[in-house]
């Protein structure tokens, strides 16, 4: 920061005091930086410039469109503030993440003063939209305060509480300080340039640190006795007035600031070197802590940096939200003085709006290994590239998402899919033609609590050559995420003759139908195009069923050269639908064959009951005694089982009483008789038969073998009555059949 004192509406009076207002220094530096800036979200719906006057903050465009960035300062003597609107306040009751790119110009040691990330519930001015450092007259103060910390420009302030009262109240701030305010002693009185005399700072370079602007514990007061000498009348000598010196000592004060968990630069050009720096802040609601991570992403590649610096501090909710609203307004302040810099911020993730992330995984399906940076992959290896998008919460759905893919140059893609966590959403197919442009844009359905994930799966083959690190961006209207595929190399096989595969025998058509209880043999032949002999012992078969890589197999040495039979496991086949089997082979020289496909359809089969809708029992003359009456030949009962060998079933039946409109209920029961056992069907379901299928198409005649004394019979009692004068009388009942596809 710069030695100065800035007050609204005052004239310049001495060192460090300046008139407010925008200057006319050229902004080419910031313009160029914005043209080369990383992409962010449109901030217009979430942020509003603070209501202080004047306010140098404004929303500006980048090459990615309007309102992509917030410009806090762009000249000397400025103060800029920008705050979230009411509906974009951050929740303190849930974990939140904010991520942004920050720019501090390239003015090196001429820079000043910096920016601050601020969370606050200071409603004294315009419900928090006018929050800033204020002096006793209520005017905003910039300088070393960055517009957020208290000011010690009044040298008569003797306590830390008085200084704290001038800062933003109910707040926590993370400062990015580009000017060392290290004045001490009498020169510090009223100068507003002593905050960095804190012993926790080891150097006089730019630094990052946190604290509570409205808390007295943030500041330390330093007393400076100042002696002034004045001449006072001391009589006369021969009519000439005489004077004597009288000394008066007064106590004055300046403040230093306690810098919590600082991150310090090691050179004068740190922060102010013309680069965009990425910052991530993570709020932990349960622990009431804030973690700030500095320089954690590369601005050109988006690749996470291994050397990012991270600090975690305690931020009690009672300090920043004393009214327990569960919300906090947040934003940025920035200031400049005689030394100045352009300050700008681009937001990737606005906390409370959308919490999201994306990852990329590249897997060598041939070797079943995940590809890491610098790895080597064999030419022709089958590859799978997977992007996983996750929505983890927020007040809004992740909307209008465009997956702007940047695909590896050394892969040839055969196709892909997009699937969602909400299973009711249709799977989207991606064509090889689109993917092989290497930079397709894929629309993604809005993500939400009910649709929290999206998975982009791309299949292809590795082609010899080098691939640079490839970053893909997932750009929504209210949040951004990116994922990077590492750089890797694809090596060519040591021998150049091609390896060819064809299906043979019953598999030659590429279509197979099977019952669900069988492994499916698939046969084929491998040949080299130079007619060299195929050594089965050097050949590995790679099966892929319905997109899943199955265990590899070596060709059997007992088979003829290049011939193979692969048995598709029955347990892996999906019943009632087509199964997509892909086969290819690899030899020990790294040669990969072409891929062949066999579509295997598993018959679902069925369990069916065949019975007549009406049937009768043999006409019988009543004798006045109990009689068993057998069914007529039209009551045929059969079960057809086409589910495949080894399936079980059991048949049951029950009946209603037999009735006549004239005679009422027949004193009889429908029974199932086996030996001396009679089971009454009018009492409930009775087992008639059970079986286990022995073929793919079993038919069982259940009624075969029913006799006058075995099987389904009508047991008529002796008091049964027929028609008048021996005329026939019809009685009618109903049989209900039921079977289960299981043993008894």
């Amino acid at each position: 920061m710069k030695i100065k004192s800035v007050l609204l509406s005052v004239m310049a009076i001495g060192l460090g005091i300046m008139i407010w207002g925008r200057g006319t220094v050229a902004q080419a530096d910031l313009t160029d930086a914005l043209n080369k800036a990383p992409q962010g979200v449109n901030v217009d719906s979430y942020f509003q410039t603070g209501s202080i006057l004047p306010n140098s903050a404004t929303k500006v465009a980048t090459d990615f469109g309007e309102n992509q960035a917030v410009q806090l300062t762009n000249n000397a003597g400025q103060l800029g503030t920008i705050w979230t609107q009411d509906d974009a306040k951050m929740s303190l009751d849930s974990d939140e993440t904010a991520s942004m790119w920050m720019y501090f110009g390239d003015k090196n040691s001429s820079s000043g003063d910096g920016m601050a990330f601020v969370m606050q519930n200071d409603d004294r001015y315009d419900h928090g939209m006018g929050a800033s450092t204020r002096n006793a007259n209520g005017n905003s103060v910039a300088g070393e305060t960055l517009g957020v910390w208290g000011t010690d420009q009044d040298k008569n302030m003797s306590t830390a509480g008085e200084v704290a009262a001038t800062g933003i109240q109910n707040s926590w701030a993370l400062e990015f300080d580009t000017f060392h305010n290290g004045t001490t002693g009498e020169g510090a009185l009223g100068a507003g340039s002593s905050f960095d005399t804190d012993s926790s700072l080891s150097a006089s370079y730019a630094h990052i640190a946190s604290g509570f602007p409205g808390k007295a514990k943030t500041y330390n007061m330093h007393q400076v006795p100042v002696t002034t000498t004045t001449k006072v009348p001391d009589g006369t000598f021969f009519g000439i007035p005489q004077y004597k010196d009288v000394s008066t000592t007064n106590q004055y004060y300046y403040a230093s600031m306690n810098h919590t968990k600082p991150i310090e630069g090691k050179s004068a050009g740190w922060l102010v070197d013309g680069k965009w720096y990425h910052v991530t802040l993570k709020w932990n609601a349960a622990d009431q802590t804030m973690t700030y991570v500095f320089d954690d992403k590369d601005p050109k590649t988006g690749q996470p940096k291994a050397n990012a610096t991270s600090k975690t501090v305690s931020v009690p909710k009672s300090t920043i939200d004393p009214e327990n609203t569960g919300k906090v307004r947040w934003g940025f302040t920035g200031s400049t003085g005689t030394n100045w810099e352009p300050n700008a911020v681009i937001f990737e993730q606005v906390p409370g709006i959308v919490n999201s992330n994306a990852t990329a995984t590249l897997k060598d399906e041939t070797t079943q290994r995940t590809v890491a940076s610098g790895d080597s992959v064999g030419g022709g290896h089958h590859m799978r590239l997977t992007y996983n998008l996750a929505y983890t919460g927020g007040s809004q759905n992740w909307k209008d998402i465009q997956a702007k893919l940047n695909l590896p140059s050394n892969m040839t893609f055969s196709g892909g899919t997009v699937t969602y966590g909400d299973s009711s959403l249709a799977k989207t197919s991606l064509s090889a033609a689109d993917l092989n442009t290497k930079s397709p844009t894929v629309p993604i359905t809005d993500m939400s609590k009910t649709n929290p994930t999206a998975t982009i799966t791309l299949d292809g083959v590795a082609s010899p050559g080098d691939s640079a690190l490839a970053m893909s961006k997932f750009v929504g209207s209210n949040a951004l995420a990116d994922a990077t595929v590492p750089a890797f190399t694809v090596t060519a096989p040591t021998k150049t003759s091609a390896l060819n595969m064809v299906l043979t025998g019953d598999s030659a058509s590429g279509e197979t139908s099977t019952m669900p209880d069988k492994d499916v043999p698939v046969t084929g032949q491998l040949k080299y195009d130079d007619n060299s002999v195929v050594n089965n012992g050097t050949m590995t078969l790679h099966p892929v069923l319905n997109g899943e890589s199955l265990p590899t197999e070596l060709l059997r040495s007992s088979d003829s050269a290049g011939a193979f039979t692969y048995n598709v496991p029955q347990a892996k086949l999906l019943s009632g639908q087509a199964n997509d089997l892909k086969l290819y082979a690899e030899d020990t020289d790294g040669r990969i064959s072409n891929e062949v496909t066999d579509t295997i359809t598993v018959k679902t089969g069925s369990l069916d009951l065949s019975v007549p809708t009406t049937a009768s029992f043999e006409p019988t003359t009543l004798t006045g005694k109990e009689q068993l009456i057998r069914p007529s030949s039209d009551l045929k009962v059969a079960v057809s089982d086409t589910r495949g060998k080894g399936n079980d079933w059991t048949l049951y039946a029950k009946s209603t009483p037999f009735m006549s409109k004239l005679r009422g209920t027949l004193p009889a029961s429908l029974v199932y008789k086996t030996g001396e056992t009679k089971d009454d069907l009018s009492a409930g379901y009775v087992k008639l038969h059970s079986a286990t299928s022995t073929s793919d198409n079993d038919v069982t005649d259940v009624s075969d073998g029913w006799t006058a004394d075995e099987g389904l019979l009508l047991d008529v009692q002796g008091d049964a009555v027929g028609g008048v004068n021996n005329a026939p009388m019809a009685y009618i009942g109903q049989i209900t059949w039921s079977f289960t596809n299981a043993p008894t």
Side-chain angles (χ1 to χ4, degrees), residues 56-204:
S56 60
T58 184
K59 304 169 192 175
V60 294
T62 72
D63 277 0
F64 292 100
E66 296 295 326
N67 300 311
Q68 280 278 309
V70 173
Q71 172 186 295
L72 287 162
T73 64
N74 70 330
N75 216 319
Q78 293 183 336
L79 175 63
T81 66
I82 190 161
W83 302 110
T84 48
Q85 299 177 17
D86 288 349
D87 56 1
K89 286 184 177 181
M90 191 181 96
S91 170
L92 295 173
D93 297 327
S94 59
D95 293 347
E96 301 286 356
T97 298
S99 64
M100 61 217 62
W101 295 96
M102 301 181 67
Y103 182 75
F104 303 88
D106 61 356
K107 293 181 175 294
N108 206 301
S109 59
S110 298
S111 301
D113 286 290
M115 291 183 274
F117 171 90
V118 186
M119 300 193 302
Q120 51 96 358
N121 270 301
D122 187 347
D123 292 337
R124 295 176 301 167
Y125 301 96
D126 194 17
H127 306 288
M129 296 304 296
S132 72
T133 307
R134 304 271 179 162
N135 63 17
N137 297 322
N139 296 322
S140 295
V141 181
E144 71 176 357
T145 73
L146 296 179
V148 60
W149 306 110
T151 177
D152 67 344
Q153 291 177 1
D154 183 350
K155 63 184 180 181
N156 291 303
M157 284 184 178
S158 61
T159 67
E162 291 176 285
V163 175
T166 65
I168 295 181
Q169 301 300 291
N170 308 325
S171 68
W172 174 85
L174 180 67
E175 71 169 8
F176 299 81
D177 190 341
T178 60
F179 186 90
H180 182 74
N181 295 95
T183 307
T184 60
E186 190 170 341
L189 298 175
S193 189
S194 55
F195 278 1
D196 297 334
T197 57
D198 178 17
S199 61
S200 64
L201 298 179
S202 61
S204 59

Side-chain angles (χ1 to χ4, degrees), residues 226-512:
V226 177
T227 299
T228 59
T229 300
T230 60
K231 293 184 180 297
V232 299
D234 189 25
T236 61
F237 182 71
F238 293 107
I240 300 172
Q242 301 296 301
Y243 297 90
K244 65 178 179 179
D245 292 337
V246 177
S247 297
T248 303
T249 300
N250 294 304
Q251 302 298 324
Y252 298 107
Y253 304 86
Y254 69 89
S256 60
M257 194 176 87
N258 294 316
H259 293 75
T260 304
K261 296 286 184 75
I263 300 171
E264 296 187 77
K266 303 301 181 183
S267 66
W270 189 68
L271 280 187
V272 286
D273 54 3
K275 297 178 182 178
W276 286 92
Y277 286 93
H278 194 268
V279 177
T280 302
L281 295 104
K282 300 177 182 179
W283 168 253
N284 185 307
D287 296 341
Q288 299 183 46
T289 60
M290 179 67 83
T291 298
Y292 43 98
V293 188
F294 174 71
D295 198 20
D296 55 341
K297 289 173 66 173
D298 186 294
K300 293 182 179 179
T301 66
Q303 180 80 352
K305 287 188 174 183
N307 59 346
T309 304
S310 176
K311 302 283 186 179
T312 299
V313 295
S314 174
V315 184
K317 288 193 288 187
S318 59
T319 299
I320 59 175
D321 184 27
E323 299 299 323
N324 197 29
T325 66
K327 297 284 187 178
V328 67
R329 194 185 302 279
W330 66 276
F332 273 87
T333 65
S335 69
T336 63
T338 304
N339 281 23
W340 69 277
E341 67 197 41
N343 289 135
V345 183
I346 291 172
F347 297 94
E348 276 191 328
Q349 189 162 316
V350 179
I353 304 301
V354 171
N355 293 328
S356 61
N357 61 72
T359 59
T361 304
L362 180 62
K363 185 178 181 183
D364 184 338
E365 292 288 316
T366 299
T367 62
Q368 289 295 292
R369 292 187 305 169
T370 299
V371 178
S373 179
D375 280 357
S376 181
V377 171
H381 280 205
H382 289 235
M383 311 292 288
R384 173 163 289 180
L385 175 54
T386 305
Y387 295 97
N388 289 299
L389 282 67
Y391 171 92
T392 57
S395 62
Q396 297 180 8
N397 296 342
W398 191 7
K399 298 181 289 189
D400 308 319
I401 309 167
Q402 298 291 314
K404 297 184 177 182
L405 302 181
N406 180 20
L407 303 179
S409 59
N410 53 359
M411 283 182 62
T412 301
F413 293 91
S414 57
T417 59
V418 182
T419 56
Y420 296 99
D422 181 352
S423 59
S424 67
L425 295 173
K427 178 170 66 176
T428 302
S429 296
L430 306 176
S431 72
D434 288 341
L435 296 175
N436 286 314
T437 64
K438 297 299 191 290
S439 56
T441 296
V442 179
I444 304 296
T445 299
D446 288 1
M447 297 177 65
S448 62
K449 292 179 181 178
T450 58
N451 180 39
T453 62
T455 303
I456 303 173
T457 304
L458 310 179
D459 291 315
V461 174
S463 305
D466 296 329
S467 176
L469 179 146
M471 181 181 69
S472 295
K473 297 192 76 67
F474 305 91
V475 182
S477 60
N478 51 2
L480 278 77
D482 52 54
T484 304
V485 179
F488 66 102
T489 299
V490 179
T491 58
T494 58
K495 294 184 178 180
T496 58
S497 56
L499 179 61
N500 300 304
M501 176 187 287
V502 294
L503 296 176
T504 61
D506 292 340
S507 304
S509 66
E511 295 184 355
T512 304

